[in-house]
């Protein structure tokens, strides 16, 4: 497909529309890929929605830890929805064209939600730090007002900076080609299309990554080093196992997310390859949100108990409805005229 460009002042060409190449090298598997990604999207929505429902309905889960977990699940749904539905439409229609405004909007929301996830993971680590290291002060420190403030702060903290980051990237001149060798509008593949010196823009990307990834990651490491130190001082092995079980799930998610994000955004431009970028993006955008509900639920007794309670409640309601139906049927037979019997 030819580049769609618009002549700007100074004989510089500016791209007005992009084409997402997606997985064009796997042209024979487009239908299969669309089916697989559709199933993954459904699993992500159902799994994370189930956590939100459980934490809302079960009184036993109305604690700060599960309040942040519900926010994290909502964030994961939003994170995936920014990229995956558009990719599915492109796979179904075999048309990867996307306007400059749509591409910028997708990137902006993606970056904002990514920054929110980094800080929310840090907030969740702080919650575990207070619970393990200062259990007597935990109800006072992590009160409802504090929890809401921390959650809202995590959601909005990246908005002004990431809007600026997006504006900086799209101020570049894309004068050579409009084909993005990726399945969504991300910073590295778009900077690759720019002509001229992009070193300043690359430095702004590194600065943004350090601000929204490295700082939360360092905070998480500090919290967990203190948590582990406190756990090892506990006298009983059972107490150590319980404390580790409440933190291990979160730590696993943190390692997966930050490791993949760091490799993606802190590599120099010359080290980026389309295949590697797509593979890393698939992991931290699609697969990690799919596995997060399993990681948190399968390793958490409270969540499993709440799920069992919900399922038992539904089955009990079903049995009661059946019993009422049977009673009405018997009553109908009793009221029948003897001749009709």
């Amino acid at each position: 497909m030819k580049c769609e460009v618009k002549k700007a002042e100074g004989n510089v060409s500016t791209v007005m529309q992009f084409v997402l190449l997606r997985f064009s090298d796997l042209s024979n598997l487009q239908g299969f890929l669309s089916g697989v990604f559709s199933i993954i999207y459904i699993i992500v929505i159902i799994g994370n929605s189930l956590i939100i429902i459980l934490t809302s309905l079960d009184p036993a889960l109305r604690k700060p830890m599960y309040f942040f977990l519900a926010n994290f699940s909502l964030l994961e749904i939003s994170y995936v929805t920014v990229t995956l539905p558009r990719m599915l439409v492109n796979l179904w229609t075999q048309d990867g064209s996307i306007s400059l405004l749509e591409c910028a909007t997708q990137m902006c929301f993606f970056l904002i939600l990514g920054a929110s996830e980094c800080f929310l993971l840090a907030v969740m680590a702080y919650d575990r730090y207070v619970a393990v290291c200062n259990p007597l002060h935990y109800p006072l420190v992590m009160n409802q007002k504090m929890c809401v403030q921390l959650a809202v702060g995590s959601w909005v903290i990246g908005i002004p900076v990431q809007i600026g980051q997006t504006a900086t990237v799209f101020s570049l001149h894309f004068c050579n080609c409009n084909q993005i060798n990726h399945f969504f509008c991300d910073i590295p593949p778009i900077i690759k299309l720019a002509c001229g010196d992009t070193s300043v823009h690359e430095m702004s990307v590194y600065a943004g990554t350090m601000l929204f990834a490295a700082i939360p990651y360092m905070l998480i490491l500090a919290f967990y080093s203190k948590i582990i130190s406190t756990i090892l001082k506990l006298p009983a092995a059972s107490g150590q196992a319980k404390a580790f079980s409440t933190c291990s799930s979160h730590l696993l998610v943190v390692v997966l997310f930050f490791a993949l994000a760091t490799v993606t955004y802190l590599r120099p431009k010359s080290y980026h390859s389309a295949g590697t970028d797509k593979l890393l993006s698939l992991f931290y955008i699609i697969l990690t949100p799919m596995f997060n509900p399993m990681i948190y639920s399968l390793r958490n007794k409270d969540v499993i108990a709440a799920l069992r309670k919900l399922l038992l409640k539904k089955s009990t309601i079903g049995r009661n409805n059946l019993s009422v139906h049977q009673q009405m049927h018997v009553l109908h037979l009793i009221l029948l005229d003897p001749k009709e019997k």
Side-chain angles (χ1 to χ4, degrees):
M1 182 174 178
K2 292 183 179 180
C3 297
E4 183 177 328
V5 299
K6 177 182 178 182
K7 275 289 183 183
E9 293 182 6
N11 294 322
V12 178
S13 297
T14 304
V15 172
M16 298 304 294
Q17 183 171 335
F18 294 103
V19 177
L20 294 166
L21 297 181
R22 309 173 310 280
F23 305 96
S24 55
D25 51 335
L26 303 172
S27 55
N28 297 328
L29 298 175
Q30 299 294 300
F32 172 75
L33 289 174
S34 64
V36 170
F37 291 137
S38 297
I39 293 170
I40 290 174
Y41 185 55
I42 292 169
I43 292 172
V44 169
I45 297 297
I46 293 174
N48 286 283
S49 297
L50 187 59
I51 287 181
I52 295 171
I53 292 168
L54 288 176
T55 54
S56 301
L57 295 180
D58 197 305
L61 299 184
R62 288 172 188 168
K63 301 174 183 176
M65 181 173 75
Y66 299 110
F67 170 74
F68 294 128
L69 181 57
N71 274 269
F72 186 71
S73 294
L74 180 59
L75 189 57
E76 292 286 57
I77 292 172
S78 306
Y79 198 60
V80 175
T81 302
V82 167
T83 54
L84 198 50
R86 176 84 197 200
M87 183 181 72
L88 289 173
V89 171
N90 292 341
L91 286 170
W92 291 333
T93 61
Q94 293 298 297
D95 179 15
S97 60
I98 182 170
S99 71
L100 186 143
L101 179 60
E102 289 172 333
C103 190
T105 302
Q106 185 185 58
M107 178 190 285
C108 187
F109 277 102
F110 175 76
L111 294 176
I112 289 171
L113 292 170
S116 298
E117 185 155 346
C118 291
F119 277 94
L120 187 58
L121 286 170
V123 167
M124 293 169 76
Y126 174 69
D127 171 70
R128 292 297 84 208
Y129 161 75
V130 178
V132 173
C133 301
N134 298 290
L136 297 179
H137 296 94
Y138 182 71
L140 296 174
V141 176
M142 301 304 293
N143 55 58
Q144 186 177 8
K145 183 180 178 181
M146 175 62 76
C147 291
V148 171
Q149 288 175 342
L150 289 172
V152 171
S154 299
W155 278 93
V156 304
I157 193 169
I159 292 176
V161 176
Q162 299 300 0
I163 289 175
Q165 181 86 280
T166 304
T168 301
V169 171
F170 283 91
S171 67
L172 292 165
H173 292 293
F174 309 101
C175 51
N176 293 324
C177 186
N178 67 344
Q179 295 183 337
I180 302 172
N181 197 358
H182 214 304
F183 57 86
F184 76 103
C185 294
D186 198 8
I187 293 178
I190 289 180
I191 287 182
K192 264 190 173 182
L193 300 181
C195 51
D197 184 16
T198 60
S199 58
V200 175
H201 296 82
E202 288 183 59
M203 289 304 296
S204 72
V205 172
Y206 297 147
T209 304
M210 292 298 291
L211 177 63
F212 291 107
I215 291 177
Y217 186 63
M218 295 302 292
L219 288 172
I220 291 169
L221 287 180
F223 290 140
Y224 271 101
S225 62
K226 186 64 177 175
I227 288 170
I228 292 170
S229 174
T230 303
I231 289 173
L232 293 176
K233 293 176 183 177
L234 293 176
S238 59
Q240 291 181 356
K242 184 178 180 181
F244 271 121
S245 68
T246 60
C247 301
S248 57
S249 301
H250 179 251
L251 196 55
L252 180 59
V253 171
V254 166
V255 170
L256 283 173
F257 180 80
F258 279 100
L260 294 170
T262 301
V263 172
T264 301
Y265 292 103
L266 289 182
R267 284 180 300 158
K269 179 182 172 182
S270 56
Y271 286 89
H272 282 275
S273 67
T276 305
D277 286 349
K278 289 178 188 177
L279 184 62
L280 290 171
S281 298
L282 282 175
F283 270 102
Y284 76 84
I285 292 175
I286 298 173
L287 296 180
T288 305
M290 181 180 72
F291 289 119
N292 280 348
M294 302 178 196
I295 293 171
Y296 278 111
S297 60
L298 294 177
R299 298 178 63 85
N300 191 299
K301 293 180 181 179
D302 291 338
V303 175
I304 293 173
L307 182 59
R308 284 177 180 169
K309 194 186 299 182
L310 181 65
L311 294 174
L312 287 172
K313 186 177 179 181
K314 286 190 174 182
S315 62
T316 303
I317 292 172
R319 285 196 300 268
N320 289 341
N321 289 339
L322 180 62
S323 176
V324 170
H325 178 74
Q326 290 172 340
Q327 290 173 15
M328 293 298 293
H329 180 66
V330 171
L331 182 61
H332 176 69
L333 292 175
I334 293 171
L335 296 174
L336 280 175
D337 191 83
K339 292 180 180 180
E340 293 180 338
K341 294 180 182 179

